[in-house]
Amino acid sequence: MRKLFTEFTPEKLEQVRTHPYYKNARETIIARADNYTLTDPPVMKFSKIHLYVECGNREIFEKDRIEYETRLHALFLAYIITEDDKYLSPLSDIIWGICNFESWSIPAHVAEDLSIADRRRNLDLCSCIFGYRLSEILYLIGDKLPELVYRRAKAEVQYRIIDSFANHKDERYFWLTTNNNWAAVCIAGVLCSYLYLATDEEIEAELPRMIEIADNYLAGFEEDGCCTEGYAYWNYGFSFFCLFAKMLSDYTDGEINYFKSEKVHNIAMFQQNILLNENECLSFSDGGLSFEPYSWLSHFLKGIYPDMQLPALPDECITDYSTAPLPNGTPIRYIFWTNPDYVGDILVPKSHRFKNAEWFLYHSKNYSLGAKAGHNDEFHNHNDVGSFLISKGGRVTFCDPGGGEYTKDYFDPKHRYSIFVTSGRAHSVPIINGEYQAFGKREGCVEIFDEDRFRFSMKGGYDIDTLTSLVRDFECLEDSVRLTDTYEFSETPTSVTERFVSLLPIEEKDGALLCGDSVLVFDRDAFDISYGSEVVARKRAEKETVYYVDLSVKAPKKQFELTFIIK
């Protein structure tokens, strides 16, 4: 048997079974698994699969699919922890049920008009993850499962993942050549499936392609390590890259070790360089404000990089599937990548500049500012050149609202920017001649990128011929931010409106705007003021209200400057 998953040792297993740090995890897993021995999983219905085609909904089907995942995780881990054979029969049933799935892909990733064979062997995020998880179970406890279940699961992984990857060397799957989180997640699942179950000949034939795809993923990062897809996708994509890199290092006995790369080191540091306050972080693109670090990933990286600063983490191992129904990583590593000795560190927010991505983060004792330049053609793009966030009093006030609910339209280029959260309407950026920012990678230029000053062109965010220059300047003072927008037009604009966005209500008082603990001071006589709000859908059908205030310039000229002080 190949030497893989070297973290899974008798010593670590004994620690998991006995150490107080893992008490909550043990109890949660066993309680969930015991419940699953008494109940059946949902029936996978065509009507729920077809909802995506009918109305673009993907949540209802995914709820049932996730139920299979959580059962698989809980029953497998309960057996690992207890070695109680009572979990093997329901575990075998859930493995058999997954093998019966018509496709391991979710409806959003596999067209209904594909051939049945192509649907069954389609390679997307979810199918590759299923292949990895089943193959790892077979590797670790395959001899404990019924022989037919073992053979069936192995055959399904062979056909759906191993053979499919080997037989599709064209560009049928965009992730084969892309440089975003898809590349990392899919190739990690493929690599694990191969290393656990494929022959030596199959591995050696395809390993160079796998390494090339992993390299493509890393090429999506600049040298500064910034994940422009957002923090959630750092957690997601980079955690699977770490799985890929660690498994490859195990397989090659350390000969191929991505963790020696300085670029990978910089990517690992991303988490500690995006905090606005103790609980909130930069939320650009499809990210979110909530700072929700993975203990297991943070611990794993700390074991490699001594300068990895750990965030404030629970003082016990948490694996509560009720609060995280779709584990974004590798559930057994939720446990086996953690280290009880690392508990108790505190990550202090600090100033940081991502020069390649053009993200700026400034901290003073009175407030924090996060801002971005960049462009409007990023993966998980929002039209948000110039967007910014302010944190004061321990919470974000003026903000970037982050990502919305994932639907069919959300990822359709024809409709994406008609959705509020992805459009310029949901960001604190100007509206010019009634037009919002537009999708596309146009010219941009950062003029000043100092520790306390960030000045850059926003012109590239707009598709307006008469706009000849728009420069946004953040000057960070001791107790406030001076925001200055400088406009130049070839002809007098019909209208210019400065919009400010928040998840908190905004109100006017004494000629200034109040938003939480922040105060925005401006020339009240120069603007007409209007207020608005929009209820936006988040993931898992959650709702949230986004508030905004529009300051419309009363007399715009061909050249003028607007200044705002945010205290």
Side-chain angles (χ1 to χ4, degrees):
M1 181 178 284
R2 300 182 184 111
K3 186 180 179 182
L4 303 168
F5 191 11
T6 55
E7 308 91 295
F8 190 84
T9 63
E11 295 76 19
K12 183 64 180 182
L13 182 56
E14 181 63 20
Q15 184 186 58
V16 169
R17 289 171 172 169
T18 59
H19 197 287
Y21 176 76
Y22 297 101
K23 181 177 183 292
N24 175 276
R26 291 192 300 266
E27 292 177 350
T28 299
I29 290 167
I30 292 170
R32 183 61 61 91
D34 286 344
N35 180 63
Y36 288 153
T37 64
L38 305 174
T39 60
D40 293 325
V43 176
M44 303 301 287
K45 297 180 179 180
F46 169 75
S47 58
K48 293 184 179 181
I49 295 173
H50 193 56
L51 278 175
Y52 182 74
V53 173
E54 288 186 321
C55 62
N57 182 283
R58 45 195 275 176
E59 299 285 344
I60 294 175
F61 167 81
E62 288 196 29
K63 182 179 179 181
D64 286 351
R65 183 189 63 81
I66 290 167
E67 175 76 7
Y68 278 79
E69 283 206 66
T70 56
R71 285 173 178 265
L72 184 73
H73 305 152
L75 292 164
F76 168 53
L77 293 175
Y79 178 77
I80 289 291
I81 292 169
T82 67
E83 293 187 314
D84 191 330
D85 288 351
K86 73 177 184 179
Y87 299 115
L88 292 177
S89 180
L91 176 60
S92 298
D93 285 342
I94 207 68
I95 292 172
W96 194 264
I98 292 170
C99 290
N100 285 336
F101 282 18
E102 179 263 343
S103 175
W104 284 350
S105 299
I106 62 172
H109 299 163
V110 57
E112 285 194 3
D113 59 1
L114 284 179
S115 71
I116 296 301
D118 282 345
R119 284 180 57 82
R120 186 170 170 231
R121 63 192 175 200
N122 188 67
L123 294 175
D124 76 330
L125 300 168
C126 299
S127 63
C128 293
I129 291 172
F130 265 137
Y132 144 62
R133 287 175 177 160
L134 289 180
S135 64
E136 187 162 77
I137 290 172
L138 298 185
Y139 176 84
L140 293 174
I141 64 167
D143 60 332
K144 308 298 182 183
L145 299 172
E147 192 263 347
L148 178 58
V149 172
Y150 178 91
R151 287 193 292 114
R152 172 82 190 282
K154 185 176 186 298
E156 293 293 340
V157 175
Q158 182 74 39
Y159 178 81
R160 296 180 191 241
I161 308 298
I162 296 171
D163 293 347
S164 183
F165 182 77
N167 293 330
H168 292 104
K169 293 181 169 62
D170 56 18
E171 296 184 3
R172 172 175 300 191
Y173 304 119
F174 82 96
W175 60 265
L176 295 174
T177 55
T178 195
N179 55 15
N180 57 53
N181 70 87
W182 273 71
V185 176
C186 291
I187 204 56
V190 169
L191 176 76
C192 290
S193 299
Y194 266 76
L195 296 186
Y196 282 136
L197 297 181
T199 65
D200 292 341
E201 292 75 17
E202 288 172 325
I203 294 171
E204 294 307 312
E206 300 302 332
L207 191 56
R209 286 180 65 213
M210 299 182 204
I211 292 173
E212 180 181 354
I213 293 167
D215 289 344
N216 290 341
Y217 168 72
L218 292 180
F221 294 84
E222 298 287 355
E223 293 300 321
D224 61 15
C226 182
C227 182
T228 58
E229 296 180 83
Y231 176 52
Y233 285 96
W234 179 88
N235 267 334
Y236 186 47
F238 191 59
S239 66
F240 274 97
F241 172 80
C242 289
L243 170 64
F244 175 93
K246 181 59 172 65
M247 288 288 287
L248 184 59
S249 178
D250 287 351
Y251 176 71
T252 63
D253 198 22
E255 183 176 337
I256 302 178
N257 186 349
Y258 274 99
F259 298 111
K260 293 180 178 180
S261 162
E262 184 57 27
K263 186 174 188 178
V264 173
H265 177 208
N266 289 339
I267 297 169
M269 299 298 108
F270 176 74
Q271 174 176 263
Q272 67 195 52
N273 292 323
I274 59 170
L275 273 178
L276 287 161
N277 55 55
E278 185 176 338
N279 299 308
E280 295 173 305
C281 64
L282 298 178
S283 55
F284 303 132
S285 303
D286 274 341
L289 277 175
S290 295
F291 183 64
E292 299 176 346
Y294 296 163
S295 297
W296 55 278
L297 180 58
S298 300
H299 285 194
F300 174 76
L301 293 171
K302 179 68 173 179
I304 298 172
Y305 303 116
D307 57 342
M308 175 76 180
Q309 297 175 0
L310 292 178
L313 297 169
D315 59 2
E316 58 186 356
C317 183
I318 304 295
T319 58
D320 186 353
Y321 297 123
S322 66
T323 59
L326 177 55
N328 277 337
T330 64
I332 194 170
R333 287 164 182 77
Y334 284 11
I335 300 173
F336 281 83
W337 274 9
T338 54
N339 185 338
D341 295 336
Y342 288 159
V343 177
D345 287 3
I346 297 177
L347 179 55
V348 179
K350 62 182 180 180
S351 299
H352 191 81
R353 290 168 291 164
F354 294 99
K355 291 190 175 181
N356 301 115
E358 300 177 354
W359 288 17
F360 176 85
L361 183 58
Y362 175 84
H363 285 281
S364 76
K365 63 181 180 180
N366 297 308
Y367 70 91
S368 299
L369 165 71
K372 75 178 292 290
H375 58 83
N376 287 338
D377 189 12
E378 300 166 335
F379 198 70
H380 286 275
N381 181 70
H382 289 203
N383 291 340
D384 61 354
V385 174
S387 182
F388 68 92
L389 306 93
I390 297 287
S391 174
K392 187 170 183 181
R395 67 174 176 174
V396 168
T397 55
F398 294 104
C399 78
D400 183 304
E405 180 184 16
Y406 285 6
T407 64
K408 186 176 182 180
D409 283 351
Y410 197 84
F411 290 102
D412 184 340
K414 295 180 181 178
H415 301 287
R416 181 172 177 86
Y417 301 105
S418 65
I419 298 171
F420 180 76
V421 291
T422 53
S423 71
R425 294 182 292 147
H427 299 87
S428 298
V429 297
I431 305 163
I432 301 172
N433 292 340
E435 296 186 31
Y436 301 96
Q437 285 198 12
F439 171 79
K441 187 175 183 178
R442 302 174 189 85
E443 63 175 291
C445 179
V446 173
E447 299 176 3
I448 300 176
F449 209 168
D450 292 337
E451 290 184 2
D452 57 3
R453 187 86 177 271
F454 189 28
R455 178 183 171 93
F456 55 91
S457 171
M458 291 178 67
K459 177 179 180 295
Y462 297 84
D463 189 14
I464 300 175
D465 293 338
T466 58
L467 178 65
T468 57
S469 176
L470 172 53
V471 174
R472 173 157 283 189
D473 189 351
F474 293 99
E475 186 177 359
C476 298
L477 309 175
E478 182 178 352
D479 61 353
S480 64
V481 178
R482 178 182 288 119
L483 167 60
T484 304
D485 286 343
T486 304
Y487 296 84
E488 293 184 13
F489 295 89
S490 59
E491 58 185 58
T492 303
T494 58
S495 65
V496 172
T497 298
E498 293 276 358
R499 172 166 288 188
F500 296 92
V501 175
S502 178
L503 296 178
L504 304 174
I506 305 171
E507 61 180 354
E508 183 180 359
K509 184 177 182 181
D510 299 330
L513 294 174
L514 305 184
C515 179
D517 290 336
S518 291
V519 179
L520 190 152
V521 180
F522 61 103
D523 182 357
R524 179 65 181 84
D525 294 333
F527 300 93
D528 292 320
I529 301 182
S530 60
Y531 300 86
S533 63
E534 186 111 7
V535 176
V536 300
R538 300 295 198 186
K539 294 179 183 178
R540 292 187 285 278
E542 297 172 357
K543 304 291 184 181
E544 190 166 26
T545 300
V546 176
Y547 302 90
Y548 57 87
V549 59
D550 288 342
L551 306 182
S552 299
V553 180
K554 290 182 177 180
K557 303 175 182 179
K558 290 178 67 174
Q559 296 183 4
F560 63 96
E561 183 177 280
L562 302 174
T563 299
F564 308 89
I565 303 296
I566 306 175
K567 299 181 179 180

